Amino acid sequence: MTTTTSPRRLYRPRDNRWIAGVCSGLGRRFGISPNVMRLIFILSCLLPGPQVLIYLALWIIMPNER
C-alpha cells in the first residue's frame, strides 16, 4: 500500500505575516508554529552570525503563496 502525499513546499503565505512571512513559511514547512519560529529567530539574533542576512535572502528567494 503506497500513500502519496504532496510535499510541503517552502513559500511565504499571504496570511499570518508579520514582516515578510519568512518565519511563517518556515514554520509551515517544518510543521512548527509560526510564533515558535519567530521566537527561535529572535533568540538566534542574540548569537553572533549572519541571521539577518539569511532572513533577507530568504525574503528574496522564497516565492509568495499563489
Side-chain angles (χ1 to χ4, degrees):
M1 179 177 188
T2 60
T3 305
T4 58
T5 59
S6 62
R8 293 182 188 174
R9 304 228 181 240
L10 186 59
Y11 60 87
R12 293 182 297 129
R14 295 207 181 269
D15 61 332
N16 202 10
R17 282 186 176 188
W18 279 15
I19 297 175
V22 173
C23 288
S24 182
L26 289 172
R28 286 185 182 186
R29 168 64 177 91
F30 294 110
I32 301 171
S33 166
N35 289 330
V36 171
M37 189 59 74
R38 290 177 186 118
L39 180 64
I40 290 171
F41 173 72
I42 294 206
L43 291 176
S44 75
C45 286
L46 299 174
L47 301 171
Q51 292 87 338
V52 175
L53 293 176
I54 292 171
Y55 187 91
L56 292 173
L58 287 173
W59 187 354
I60 294 168
I61 293 170
M62 286 174 63
N64 277 324
E65 180 181 36
R66 297 177 198 243

